[in-house]
């Protein structure tokens, strides 16, 4: 399967995914077709370049969402991706984008998407002193972190004494779990669970 990985920042999930493609659970299952960013100077894009991946960017700043997304879809289609993997891609996707890759766009959210959506998920877990949080991999729909859940993984936060420690533990899980989940999804082992209506505790 051909992957288009989309990022806006440092790209640690992209790097973890790339490692699993080269020598892990995605070896001989997936290849990185392109790494794309809406931020041309994103660190993750530079890292992808250094690894020898095809990279592309279109600056989203000052662009209208639908027009920008149409450009991104046209660009991505040149690489014929089977899956679009969001890895810290800080944009809500327009209906045009969702339709172009319907059912084949994945995202990782560092919380239970039934309880927390959007930015600052680790801050939320830390400030509420949660003993455990969940990493969610889900299919992307037109909402913010609202699409059908593919799988969730627990992160033990007991004894974590700083936000940095919460993030470290969470990212360690993210980096294994995203590729594992993608591998299982590609092989047809996962049925998307349609999100129930949000239930804030
Ligand atoms: C991760 O925590 C991911 O779950 C969230 O954004 C962050 C991206 O980090 N969607 P990175 O750029 O992959 O290091």
């Amino acid at each position: 399967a051909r992957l288009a990985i989309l990022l806006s920042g440092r790209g640690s999930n992209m790097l973890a995914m790339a490692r699993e493609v080269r020598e892990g659970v995605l070896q001989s299952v997936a290849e990185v077709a392109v790494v794309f960013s809406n931020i041309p100077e994103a660190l993750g894009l530079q890292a992808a370049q250094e690894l020898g991946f095809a990279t592309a960017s279109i600056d989203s700043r000052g662009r209208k969402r639908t027009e920008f997304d149409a450009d991104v879809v046209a660009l991505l289609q040149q690489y014929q991706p089977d899956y679009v993997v969001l890895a810290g891609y800080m944009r809500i996707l327009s209906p045009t984008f969702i339709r172009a890759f319907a059912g084949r766009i994945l995202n990782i959210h560092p919380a239970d998407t039934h309880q927390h959506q959007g930015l600052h998920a680790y801050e939320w877990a830390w400030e509420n002193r949660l003993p455990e949080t969940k990493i969610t991999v889900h299919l992307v729909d037109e909402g913010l972190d609202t699409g059908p859940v593919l799988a969730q993984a627990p992160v033990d936060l007991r004894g974590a004494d700083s936000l940095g420690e919460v993030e470290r533990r969470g990212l360690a899980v993210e980096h294994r779990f995203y590729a594992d989940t993608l591998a299982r999804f590609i092989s047809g082992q996962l049925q998307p669970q349609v999100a129930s209506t949000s239930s804030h505790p």
Side-chain angles (χ1 to χ4, degrees):
R2 295 172 59 77
L3 311 181
I5 303 178
L6 276 53
L7 57 81
S8 302
R10 71 194 158 186
S12 73
N13 275 287
M14 178 279 297
L15 290 170
M17 191 72 76
R19 197 159 49 236
E20 297 296 328
V21 166
R22 291 209 159 156
E23 55 190 19
V25 291
L26 289 167
Q27 197 182 3
S28 67
V29 172
E31 60 186 298
V32 178
V34 64
V35 176
F36 171 84
S37 185
N38 66 310
I39 309 283
E41 64 274 19
L43 289 177
L45 201 61
Q46 292 173 25
Q49 244 156 30
E50 283 159 20
L51 284 173
F53 294 128
T55 59
S57 67
I58 304 176
D59 199 331
S60 60
R61 281 165 286 201
R63 299 286 311 274
K64 275 183 151 170
R65 183 151 70 105
T66 48
E67 290 166 16
F68 172 76
D69 272 7
D71 288 354
V72 176
V73 167
L75 185 149
L76 293 180
Q77 277 168 342
Q78 296 173 22
Y79 295 91
Q80 303 187 304
D82 298 301
Y83 298 95
V84 175
V85 176
L86 307 187
Y89 187 62
M90 308 301 277
R91 310 258 321 158
I92 294 178
L93 302 182
S94 61
T96 319
F97 194 121
I98 307 277
R99 273 197 297 271
F101 303 105
R104 299 184 289 134
I105 310 170
L106 286 78
N107 183 46
I108 187 163
H109 181 65
D112 180 346
T113 50
H114 300 121
Q115 297 196 327
H116 178 281
Q117 304 85 28
L119 294 172
H120 310 307
Y122 287 128
E123 285 88 336
W124 168 78
W126 167 243
E127 281 159 14
N128 289 288
R129 298 297 189 273
L130 300 186
E132 179 186 283
T133 194
K134 284 194 169 73
I135 305 298
T136 305
V137 175
H138 64 95
L139 293 179
V140 175
D141 64 13
E142 290 159 30
L144 176 59
D145 301 323
T146 51
V149 170
L150 290 176
Q152 293 186 314
V155 183
D156 186 355
L157 297 180
R158 286 172 302 174
D161 57 2
S162 66
L163 173 59
E165 176 64 13
V166 168
E167 287 176 342
R168 260 190 305 282
R169 292 188 193 184
L171 280 167
V173 174
E174 287 191 48
H175 293 162
R176 291 193 309 272
F177 186 60
Y178 206 0
D180 281 357
T181 305
L182 178 60
R184 289 197 292 148
F185 185 56
I186 291 175
S187 70
Q189 293 172 51
L190 290 177
Q191 290 311 313
Q193 304 296 312
V194 177
S196 58
T197 47
S198 169
S199 56
H200 273 276

